[in-house]
Amino acid sequence: MKPTKNIIIACSGSVATIKLPVLIQKLQDSNIDFKFNIKVIVTEHAKHFIDLDSIRQSVDLLDDEMEWKAWNKRGDPVVHIDLGKWADLLVIAPLSANSLAKISMGLCDNLLMCVVRAWDLKKPLLFCPAMNTRMYDHPITSDQINKLKSWGYYEVPSIAKTLMCGDTGNGAMAEVDNIVVEILNKIENV
């Protein structure tokens, strides 16, 4: 029987969230020496871009509501802490401009931000920026990305292409195959 690796895939409010089912499928189908247990965190805005029922069938799906339902009194689970202990790797794909800004400032206003803030820096955290070209090319974006990298997080760089809005340029989330390669490279050392 193959050993298991625990992975969290998190999606923030970017249209690139539509690629989540493909990312999950490619990880589950990958021909490697271990299998993945996958949990997915979606922000409220990420929910706009996916059919939650299709995701629930293949993995555990977590959101802000789950965080608050789990805790009523001392001794109850603290979801964002438990997730960080459970996971071997966290990948944020996509990481929107808004969530990038929140992480770089240490804000903790939803489940994803709390998981990131409590993340064990000895474990890999990959992030895949995804935003409109105008947002990506703003000078603050590179500052924020560099801040995350200075903490030891790994960037899976955006690519240039024609975006959903019709603009062409930087800021599109990396191709799913490239994200899978980066995940596999990092998880092998965990």
Side-chain angles (χ1 to χ4, degrees):
M1 188 160 144
K2 291 182 177 182
T4 301
K5 299 284 186 174
N6 298 328
I7 183 171
I8 298 171
I9 302 173
C11 298
S12 59
S14 166
V15 69
T17 300
I18 64 174
K19 296 181 179 182
L20 175 62
V22 175
L23 178 56
I24 292 168
Q25 191 63 50
K26 288 192 180 245
L27 285 171
Q28 290 174 333
D29 291 347
S30 58
N31 187 19
I32 49 179
D33 293 335
F34 49 85
K35 69 175 199 151
F36 285 114
N37 279 335
I38 300 172
K39 294 187 181 195
V40 172
I41 297 172
V42 290
T43 64
E44 291 304 307
H45 291 117
K47 290 179 183 180
H48 179 75
F49 299 106
I50 55 175
D51 174 9
L52 295 177
D53 290 332
S54 68
I55 302 301
R56 283 189 181 106
Q57 294 171 5
S58 59
V59 297
D60 288 339
L61 182 68
L62 303 155
D63 61 10
D64 294 349
E65 185 179 350
M66 302 284 231
E67 169 93 298
W68 295 107
K69 277 184 174 180
W71 194 92
N72 291 303
K73 65 186 178 324
R74 180 178 285 225
D76 284 350
V78 179
V79 174
H80 65 272
I81 299 299
D82 292 346
L83 284 170
K85 290 176 180 176
W86 172 84
D88 296 309
L89 179 142
L90 168 60
V91 59
I92 308 170
L95 176 60
S96 68
N98 187 53
S99 291
L100 171 62
K102 288 180 181 186
I103 292 170
S104 73
M105 295 301 294
L107 299 180
C108 304
D109 65 347
N110 63 37
L111 177 59
L112 173 55
M113 295 303 111
C114 289
V115 168
V116 172
R117 183 65 184 262
W119 189 251
D120 179 350
L121 296 178
K122 294 179 201 93
K123 296 180 185 182
L125 185 154
L126 283 72
F127 65 97
C128 308
M131 61 197 76
N132 179 271
T133 300
R134 292 178 181 198
M135 299 169 94
Y136 187 82
D137 288 342
H138 190 284
I140 199 166
T141 302
S142 62
D143 291 346
Q144 292 168 341
I145 287 172
N146 288 333
K147 183 179 261 190
L148 271 59
K149 289 165 52 174
S150 77
W151 297 338
Y153 299 169
Y154 302 95
E155 177 189 16
V156 183
S158 296
I159 58 174
K161 68 178 202 177
T162 300
L163 306 172
M164 286 289 222
C165 63
D167 292 348
T168 300
N170 298 323
M173 188 172 81
E175 296 295 337
V176 171
D177 287 339
N178 292 345
I179 296 169
V180 169
V181 166
E182 292 299 325
I183 290 169
L184 295 177
N185 285 340
K186 295 297 181 220
I187 201 79
E188 285 180 0
N189 299 320
V190 175

